[in-house]
Amino acid sequence: MMRKPVVRLAGALALLSAMMLACNLPLPAAEVLTGMLEPATETIAVQTIQALLTPVVSPGAEDEPCGFQWATQPLPEVTQALQQYFNDAGQTNLKATAEAFGENCVRADGSVARFLTMYTDIRVTLAVAQLQDQALLAGQLETVLRLVLDYPADKLPGSLEGYLGITFTDPQGNVENLWFKRLEGKAALDRGLSGEDLLAELRAN
């Protein structure tokens, strides 16, 4: 298919050369004539389309669109281990519970797709003879706080330091609640606070 244009081009060049000789005009250089005889290479323009590859992900609980709401979840296994830890430490007169604080991923229909844990809160309930005995409350507080701070952090779900809640109850049904970040309790101990000074500090939080 490419031979006919070359033959025609060669004939045309021969005719041109004859005419230039007849007119006493100089012939073009040989390499020019050779270049003119070379068949032109057809160039095909190829349009390149950049494809955006988007992986196909099957919808599941981890991919569902949802709104987030603060929530808590019980941690029965952590609670059991924590209670055993206090019992082993001789603190059999208290009740310990652990619960996860985080966010519920709520679907458009109101159902919960999943729960995301931020940190674990620990709650301790202590029975005391009387709430007016500040020295007793202070001693119990310090003992519980030190035990909680010594509890292995990797056994508490979540990546942030949670709260410690201590509820004192007396036989008359009177109650006092303390609620503070465990890191604030540690900071108070690190400053050398103890006894009723520690109690007053953590009451203010």
Side-chain angles (χ1 to χ4, degrees), residues 38-54:
E38 290 178 355
T41 302
E42 183 179 4
T43 302
I44 301 175
V46 179
Q47 184 178 6
T48 302
I49 301 176
Q50 184 177 3
L52 298 178
L53 301 178
T54 303

Side-chain angles (χ1 to χ4, degrees), residues 45-130:
V46 179
Q47 184 178 6
T48 302
I49 301 176
Q50 184 177 3
L52 298 178
L53 301 178
T54 303
V56 178
V57 180
S58 300
E62 296 297 325
D63 310 303
E64 290 183 83
C66 56
F68 291 96
Q69 295 179 350
W70 298 122
T72 58
Q73 257 192 9
L75 296 171
E77 293 182 0
V78 179
T79 293
Q80 183 177 358
L82 192 64
Q83 184 66 61
Q84 187 62 50
Y85 169 74
F86 279 115
N87 291 345
D88 293 343
Q91 301 298 310
T92 56
N93 63 326
L94 61 77
K95 179 182 178 182
T97 58
E99 63 182 17
F101 179 82
E103 294 177 317
N104 276 333
C105 174
V106 183
R107 302 185 185 96
D109 63 2
S111 61
V112 176
R114 61 188 184 276
F115 176 79
L116 306 176
T117 300
M118 295 179 65
Y119 51 79
T120 297
D121 291 329
I122 295 174
R123 299 177 185 271
V124 172
T125 301
L126 274 163
V128 295
Q130 52 180 342

Side-chain angles (χ1 to χ4, degrees), residues 149-205:
L149 293 176
D150 286 341
Y151 193 74
D154 58 356
K155 293 184 179 181
L156 301 174
S159 59
L160 299 175
E161 186 71 27
Y163 285 77
L164 172 59
I166 299 179
T167 299
F168 296 107
T169 63
D170 67 10
Q172 291 73 39
N174 299 311
V175 173
E176 179 176 353
N177 292 306
L178 298 177
W179 184 253
F180 53 89
K181 290 182 179 179
R182 295 197 291 275
L183 283 180
E184 292 177 351
K186 181 179 183 304
L189 290 175
D190 290 343
R191 296 201 308 272
L193 296 181
S194 64
E196 294 185 35
D197 292 333
L198 177 64
L199 177 62
E201 174 74 11
L202 295 179
R203 273 176 173 162
N205 286 290

